[in-house]
């Protein structure tokens, strides 16, 4: 440790070249004082020049600001669509949406009005969306008289007739103008623009123009726009200029001064600072260099961070495949979107759209094909709707669309059908054409709800109805759908009880040989004897069971009951429908084998009827189940052939024993040549693949004779017997003897 520190002695002040540092500091201080004194005179002279430059700059920027407002308006006033919707085919809804909403969202202004050729206000709205036409008539009309007169005059001078048509040949700058007007004692910038076609090529009328008018308060917002291009931080509006401030007068086109833009001159402080820079050049230069490098690095880091944040926000808020809003972000945007429509009392439509066959495409062609399908359908949706609407992807194959294109009521049938026609076109993928279709439910705002969840629920109910009745179509929501949905919920609850209370029963319909008409099989058909509703058709309760995922349980019940009731038949077989979800259950083949053994029922007299949707399942487990059933000796039939997605490769892979020709084809026999040819083709295909055939829904002798002549082996239908309970069937010929 230093001895002076121990003894309490003070350290001497440091010196440079033998000169005490205090004196050096004094000399430096004197030099600074002398330097500032030397430049003081220059500062005083320069201040007046700088003030004049500031006044000139503010005046120039203010004028540029006014003309910039006109350029913003030009995109809306100089437009074919604007001219057609204000002059050719006037539409107040369009005017309100375009000038009252779109333009307000594009650039801020405080008041908008549209004047017709007779100088009447046909549309007016303020910043809050309130219609306020008398602001113009009461305070603005007289002040803008001269400006509007010049615009109308220049517009008429620019109209020319050519080849029997009227067109505008003038300059856009001639039919626009800006002025300062006084509203409620404060000056405002008033910008006016005649509505004219651009680029043209449409029919025009010869006469005065309609005029678009916007008003901008000269307030903090607009002064802030001026500050953005000037190094001023104290610009404000005053009616009288305070001492020590400089100003620019705000005068209208008639020369009347309505107030001043005033500020403290920047040169008072900045000139002194700038004049001292040469004296402190070396030190300040180093500091400035370091500061500039640091600022540049910081600015680059800020820009990079802002860009990454923007990209991250976009990624979080938008679906990466389609670019549509994600579920959460869509709900946020939709709330604001609906709020604007509610404020303007505009109507809108909500479309809940679902891709019908995405799962099948993924299963058959792979997920890459499914992704391509989603991307292409999204592109088509945007192609049809353009920028008119808000679209969100809220699920793997589900989209919700908000649009006011059809907001006045139900969309025109031709337009919505055109949308679905485009969405139903095949999608190309790796030189293959993938068939696709869509279903949709449509709800209307505000009739079916004012909040997005209410509207989505209504559209979802309509979509559900569409999928139940006919895919690749659309349905409009109505309140009766709620009643039907409630009815289905009640049926689902009752169906759970029906299984427990043994309310289900089986009816049997004979399947006869085509030539002898002897019944050799009976198809087991489920029925529900409801305690209150009576006998409920399977066409009513099976879709409810399927949606509630109760089909495996019901299918197991049918299988057990049918084999139990058929165990006493000596020669007749039983045909049982099994659903796809039932076959996909683990151990299904073992369950069938166990029931056959328990009831001592020969496997070759059991037919399992499988619908075509199973053919879409190419999983290894499904194929193993089919092979196990065949090993048991059970016969397999493909049901309702020709109504789904059958292909030769599927038929060959699953190796069915029987093919059932659907009743929709049999019912047209003898009525359509095409139907006759199609049925013969199916029978020929089955024969070529070694399958026996069953014609379903035979009701007339003519149908029977046609099928017999065409080579169909078995027939089923009302002509040979309706479905009936076991107790009503004559099965004496099939029952075993009492001693058996």
């Amino acid at each position: 440790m230093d001895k002076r520190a121990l003894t309490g002695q003070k350290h001497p002040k440091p010196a440079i070249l033998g000169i005490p540092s205090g004196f050096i500091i004094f000399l430096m201080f004197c030099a600074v004082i002398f330097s500032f004194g030397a430049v003081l005179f220059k500062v005083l002279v320069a201040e007046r020049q700088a003030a004049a430059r500031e006044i000139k700059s503010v005046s120039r920027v203010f004028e540029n600001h006014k003309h910039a407002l006109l350029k913003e308006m030009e995109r809306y006033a100089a437009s074919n669509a604007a001219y057609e919707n204000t002059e050719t085919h006037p539409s107040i809804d369009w005017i309100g949406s375009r000038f009252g909403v779109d333009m307000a969202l594009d650039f801020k202004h405080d008041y908008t009005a549209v004047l017709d050729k007779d100088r009447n206000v046909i549309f007016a709205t303020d910043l809050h969306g309130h219609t306020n036409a008398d602001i113009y008539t009461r305070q603005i009309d007289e002040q803008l008289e001269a400006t509007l007169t010049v615009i109308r005059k220049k517009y008429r001078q620019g109209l020319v007739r050519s080849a029997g048509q009227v067109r505008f040949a003038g300059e856009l700058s001639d039919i626009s103008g800006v002025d300062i007007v006084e509203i409620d004692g404060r000056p405002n910038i008033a910008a006016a623009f005649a509505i004219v076609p651009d680029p043209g090529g449409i029919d025009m009328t010869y006469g005065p123009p309609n005029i678009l008018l916007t008003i901008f308060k000269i307030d903090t917002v607009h002064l802030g726009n001026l500050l953005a291009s000037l190094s001023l931080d104290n610009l404000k509006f005053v009616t009288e200029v305070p001492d020590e401030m400089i100003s620019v007068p705000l005068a209208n086109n008639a020369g009347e001064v309505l107030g001043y833009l005033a500020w403290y001159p920047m040169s008072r402080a900045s000139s002194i600072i700038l004049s001292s820079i040469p004296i402190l050049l070396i030190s300040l230069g180093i500091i400035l260099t370091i500061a500039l490098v640091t600022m540049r690095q910081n600015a680059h880091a800020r820009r990079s961070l802002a860009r990454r944040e923007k990209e991250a926000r976009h990624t979080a808020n938008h679906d990466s495949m389609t670019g549509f809003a994600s579920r959460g972000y869509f709900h946020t945007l939709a709330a604001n979107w609906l709020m604007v429509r509610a404020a303007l009392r505009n109507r809108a439509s909500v479309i809940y759209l679902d891709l019908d066959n995405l799962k099948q495409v993924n299963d058959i062609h792979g997920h890459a094909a499914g992704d391509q399908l989603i991307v292409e359908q999204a592109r088509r949706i945007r192609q049809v709707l353009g920028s008119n609407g808000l679209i969100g992807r809220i699920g793997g194959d589900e989209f919700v669309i908000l649009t006011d294109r059809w907001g006045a009521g139900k969309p025109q049938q031709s337009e919505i059908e055109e949308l679905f026609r485009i969405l139903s076109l095949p999608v190309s993928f790796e030189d293959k054409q993938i068939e696709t279709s869509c279903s949709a439910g449509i709800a209307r705002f505000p009739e079916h709800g004012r909040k997005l969840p209410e509207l989505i629920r209504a559209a979802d109910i309509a979509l559900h109805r569409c999928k139940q009745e006919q895919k690749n179509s659309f349905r409009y929501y109505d309140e009766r759908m709620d009643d039907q949905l409630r009815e289905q919920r009640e049926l689902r609850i009752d169906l759970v009880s029906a299984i427990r209370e043994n309310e289900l029963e089986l009816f049997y319909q004979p399947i006869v040989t085509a030539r002898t008409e002897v019944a050799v099989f009976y198809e087991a058909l489920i029925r529900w004897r409801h305690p209150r509703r009576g006998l409920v058709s399977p066409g009513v309760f099976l879709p409810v069971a399927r949606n509630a995922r109760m089909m495996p349980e019901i299918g197991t019940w049918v299988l057990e009951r049918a084999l139990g009731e058929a165990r006493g038949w000596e020669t007749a077989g039983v045909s049982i429908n099994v659903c796809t979800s039932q076959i996909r259950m683990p151990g299904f083949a073992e369950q069938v084998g166990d029931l056959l053994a328990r009831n001592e029922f020969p496997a070759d007299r059991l037919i399992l009827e499988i619908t075509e949707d199973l053919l879409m399942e190419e999983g290894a487990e499904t194929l193993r189940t089919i092979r196990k059933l065949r090993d048991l000796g059970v016969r397999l039939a493909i049901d309702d052939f020709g109504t789904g997605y059958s292909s030769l490769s599927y038929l060959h892979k699953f190796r069915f024993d029987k093919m059932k020709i659907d009743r929709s084809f049999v019912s047209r026999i003898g009525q359509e040549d095409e139907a006759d040819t199609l049925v013969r083709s199916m029978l020929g295909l089955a024969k070529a693949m070694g399958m026996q055939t069953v014609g379903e829904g035979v009701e007339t002798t003519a149908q029977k004779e046609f099928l017999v002549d065409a080579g169909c082996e078995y027939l089923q239908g009302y002509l040979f017997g309706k479905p009936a309970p076991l107790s009503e069937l004559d099965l004496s010929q099939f029952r075993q003897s009492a001693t058996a």
Side-chain angles (χ1 to χ4, degrees):
M1 182 177 290
D2 194 329
K3 289 183 178 181
R4 283 185 289 262
L6 293 174
T7 60
Q9 295 181 2
K10 296 182 178 180
H11 287 267
K13 294 181 179 180
I16 301 176
L17 298 178
I19 303 175
S21 59
F23 183 74
I24 295 176
I25 294 173
F26 174 77
L27 291 178
M28 292 177 63
F29 177 78
C30 292
V32 170
I33 295 298
F34 175 80
S35 299
F36 274 91
V39 300
L40 181 59
F41 177 77
K42 178 181 178 182
V43 169
L44 294 175
V45 173
E47 275 188 354
R48 297 181 63 88
Q49 298 174 343
R53 289 194 298 270
E54 289 179 30
I55 292 172
K56 184 176 180 181
S57 296
V58 172
S59 299
R60 182 179 67 253
V61 170
F62 185 69
E63 289 300 315
N64 291 341
H65 183 64
K66 292 193 293 184
H67 289 293
L69 297 177
L70 288 179
K71 294 299 293 182
E72 292 285 353
M73 290 179 63
E74 179 179 328
R75 296 186 293 113
Y76 291 86
S79 160
N80 285 4
Y83 186 88
E84 289 178 336
N85 284 279
T86 56
E87 178 64 28
T88 309
H89 303 291
S91 171
I92 292 300
D93 289 341
W94 188 94
I95 292 173
S97 175
R98 184 62 173 164
F99 298 139
V101 178
D102 295 346
M103 191 170 71
L105 294 174
D106 194 9
F107 67 99
K108 298 295 183 182
H109 54 275
D110 302 281
Y111 182 80
T112 302
V114 178
L115 312 179
D116 65 11
K117 60 180 62 181
D118 297 321
R119 301 171 60 175
N120 297 317
V121 179
I122 61 175
F123 171 79
T125 182
D126 61 18
L127 180 63
H128 305 289
H130 300 145
T131 301
N132 205 346
D134 68 331
I135 288 181
Y136 175 83
T137 56
R138 180 166 43 85
Q139 300 194 54
I140 305 173
D141 185 17
E142 185 175 341
Q143 298 182 69
L144 284 180
E145 173 66 25
T147 299
L148 297 181
T149 299
V150 171
I151 290 175
R152 291 188 175 97
K153 178 181 178 181
K154 294 290 187 180
Y155 179 87
R156 286 193 297 270
Q157 291 175 351
L159 293 178
V160 297
R161 296 182 185 273
S162 176
Q165 292 184 333
V166 178
R167 63 183 182 85
F168 180 75
E171 298 291 334
L172 295 180
S173 59
D174 292 337
I175 57 172
S176 61
V178 63
D179 201 355
I180 306 296
V181 298
E182 189 175 58
I183 301 176
D184 296 332
R186 288 187 63 90
N188 291 257
I189 301 174
F193 216 114
I195 297 177
V196 64
D198 185 44
I202 63 174
D203 293 333
M204 292 183 63
T205 58
Y206 198 94
N210 299 303
I211 294 180
L212 175 64
L213 175 69
T214 53
I215 302 297
F216 307 82
K217 291 181 181 178
I218 300 179
D219 54 11
T220 304
V221 174
H222 287 90
L223 294 180
N225 291 335
L226 293 178
L227 291 174
S229 57
L230 296 169
S231 298
L232 302 177
D233 59 359
N234 54 9
L235 187 67
K236 62 181 179 179
F237 167 78
V238 296
T239 54
E240 294 185 0
V241 182
D243 294 336
E244 300 182 357
M245 297 187 78
I246 57 178
S247 64
V248 170
L250 297 178
N252 59 23
N253 293 344
E256 180 183 1
V257 176
L258 304 180
Y260 302 86
L261 292 179
W263 69 97
Y264 290 99
M266 178 181 61
S267 57
R268 296 179 60 190
S270 62
S271 296
I272 297 174
I273 297 173
L274 292 173
S275 298
S276 66
I277 290 178
I279 304 169
L280 307 173
L281 183 60
I282 296 176
S283 59
L284 292 182
I286 295 173
I287 295 173
L288 182 60
T289 301
I290 296 173
L292 288 175
V293 171
T294 303
M295 289 174 62
R296 183 175 180 180
Q297 292 176 341
N298 290 341
H300 177 74
R302 285 195 300 271
R303 287 194 299 268
S304 178
L305 179 60
R307 183 176 63 255
R308 289 196 297 270
E309 288 178 348
K310 183 177 180 181
E311 293 172 352
R313 284 196 300 271
H314 187 274
T315 300
N317 294 333
H318 293 81
D319 174 54
S320 59
M321 290 178 58
T322 63
F324 293 156
S326 59
R327 177 189 289 270
Y329 190 52
F330 175 80
H331 279 257
T332 300
L333 294 178
N336 296 329
W337 195 91
L338 291 173
M339 190 182 302
V340 172
R341 270 65 188 173
L344 295 175
R345 297 183 179 180
N346 287 352
R347 297 187 178 188
S349 294
V350 178
I351 304 175
Y352 199 133
L353 190 144
D354 179 86
L355 305 182
D356 290 330
N357 60 333
L358 178 61
K359 183 180 184 303
Q360 289 88 343
V361 171
N362 284 334
D363 292 342
I364 298 172
H365 304 288
H367 287 275
D371 292 345
Q372 176 63 25
L373 173 63
I374 292 172
V375 171
E376 177 60 20
Q377 294 293 60
R379 186 194 66 79
R380 292 172 177 179
I381 293 171
R382 177 59 72 193
Q383 172 189 346
V384 173
L385 293 178
S387 59
N388 188 299
L390 179 63
I391 309 172
R393 184 186 179 196
I394 63 171
D397 56 357
E398 296 176 335
F399 302 89
V400 174
I401 302 168
L402 289 175
T403 176
D404 45 16
R405 176 174 177 177
W406 303 310
K410 290 184 178 179
Q412 293 183 7
Q413 195 75 8
S414 59
E415 290 188 70
I416 192 71
E417 287 177 353
E418 177 63 13
L419 170 62
F420 273 82
R421 184 192 68 79
I422 293 175
L423 294 178
S424 299
L425 295 175
V427 174
S428 298
F429 177 74
E430 294 182 352
D431 298 327
K432 293 181 288 189
Q433 294 295 308
I434 300 175
E435 296 297 328
T436 183
S437 65
C438 302
S439 300
I442 303 174
R444 295 190 300 278
F445 169 83
E447 292 92 333
H448 300 145
R450 292 184 171 273
K451 302 295 183 181
L452 184 65
E454 300 170 349
L455 293 167
I456 288 182
R457 177 184 177 276
D460 189 23
I461 290 174
L463 171 63
H464 182 73
R465 170 56 60 82
C466 178
K467 283 185 168 291
Q468 282 186 328
E469 295 179 350
Q470 178 187 358
K471 290 185 178 182
N472 194 23
S473 184
F474 55 91
R475 293 290 183 273
Y476 300 106
Y477 171 78
D478 64 52
E479 294 179 353
R480 290 173 296 180
M481 293 180 180
D482 263 338
D483 298 334
Q484 293 165 349
L485 194 61
R486 191 180 308 108
E487 174 77 8
Q488 290 182 351
R489 285 197 297 268
E490 293 175 358
L491 274 177
R492 185 170 64 248
I493 295 172
D494 290 350
L495 191 56
V496 174
S497 175
I499 298 173
R500 184 176 60 251
E501 301 298 331
N502 202 27
E503 296 172 3
L504 301 177
E505 60 182 275
L506 292 181
F507 280 29
Y508 294 90
Q509 185 177 29
I511 301 174
V512 304
T513 58
R515 297 193 179 276
T516 65
E517 299 185 16
V518 174
V520 290
F521 285 92
Y522 282 84
E523 181 177 359
L525 301 169
I526 191 170
R527 296 293 186 268
W528 179 12
R529 201 171 295 279
H530 195 281
R532 298 188 312 277
R533 304 171 188 265
L535 199 62
V536 181
S537 168
V540 173
F541 71 84
L542 285 184
V544 175
R546 190 173 296 110
N547 291 334
R549 299 182 179 179
M550 299 171 63
M551 288 304 297
E553 182 179 4
I554 293 175
T556 299
W557 181 90
V558 171
L559 193 62
E560 292 176 349
R561 176 62 64 89
L563 289 175
E565 292 181 343
R567 66 182 301 173
W569 303 351
E570 184 174 357
T571 57
V574 63
S575 184
I576 302 173
N577 291 278
V578 292
C579 62
T580 301
S581 57
Q582 190 177 0
I583 291 182
R584 290 204 299 263
M585 288 176 56
F588 174 73
E590 289 77 6
Q591 179 189 39
V592 172
D594 180 64
L595 288 173
L596 288 171
R598 188 191 314 166
N599 292 284
E600 298 180 355
F601 194 84
D604 61 351
R605 284 165 46 200
L606 171 62
I607 299 177
L608 297 182
E609 297 186 13
I610 302 171
T611 54
E612 285 188 284
D613 55 355
L614 178 68
L615 303 186
M616 302 300 296
E617 301 292 336
E618 295 190 65
E621 187 62 34
T622 301
L623 291 173
R624 278 195 294 269
T625 299
I626 295 296
R627 283 197 295 268
K628 288 179 181 179
L629 291 172
R630 299 189 65 84
D631 291 341
L632 289 173
V634 174
R635 300 184 185 183
L636 303 177
I638 179 170
D639 194 16
D640 301 332
F641 181 75
T643 61
Y645 300 94
S646 299
S647 72
L648 294 179
S649 62
Y650 291 140
L651 293 177
H652 177 74
K653 181 178 297 184
F654 285 88
R655 295 174 53 207
F656 290 96
D657 300 289
K658 295 181 183 293
M659 175 190 292
K660 300 193 75 173
I661 309 299
D662 188 67
R663 66 183 68 248
S664 62
F665 301 110
V666 174
S667 64
R668 290 181 288 165
I669 289 176
Q671 300 178 13
E672 302 175 10
D673 292 340
E674 181 182 353
D676 294 352
T677 302
L678 188 57
V679 170
R680 290 184 185 276
S681 298
M682 291 180 184
L683 294 171
L685 173 63
K687 184 176 181 180
M689 300 191 73
M691 290 186 287
Q692 295 179 329
T693 51
V694 181
E696 291 186 306
V698 180
E699 298 182 357
T700 67
T701 303
Q703 293 170 352
K704 180 198 76 171
E705 292 175 349
F706 177 90
L707 290 170
V708 171
D709 180 66
C712 186
E713 288 97 341
Y714 298 94
L715 303 175
Q716 180 181 2
Y718 282 7
L719 186 63
F720 312 105
K722 296 182 179 180
L726 182 66
S727 60
E728 298 180 13
L729 297 179
D730 180 13
L731 297 171
S732 58
Q733 57 180 319
F734 303 118
R735 296 194 182 280
Q736 297 176 354
S737 64
T739 60

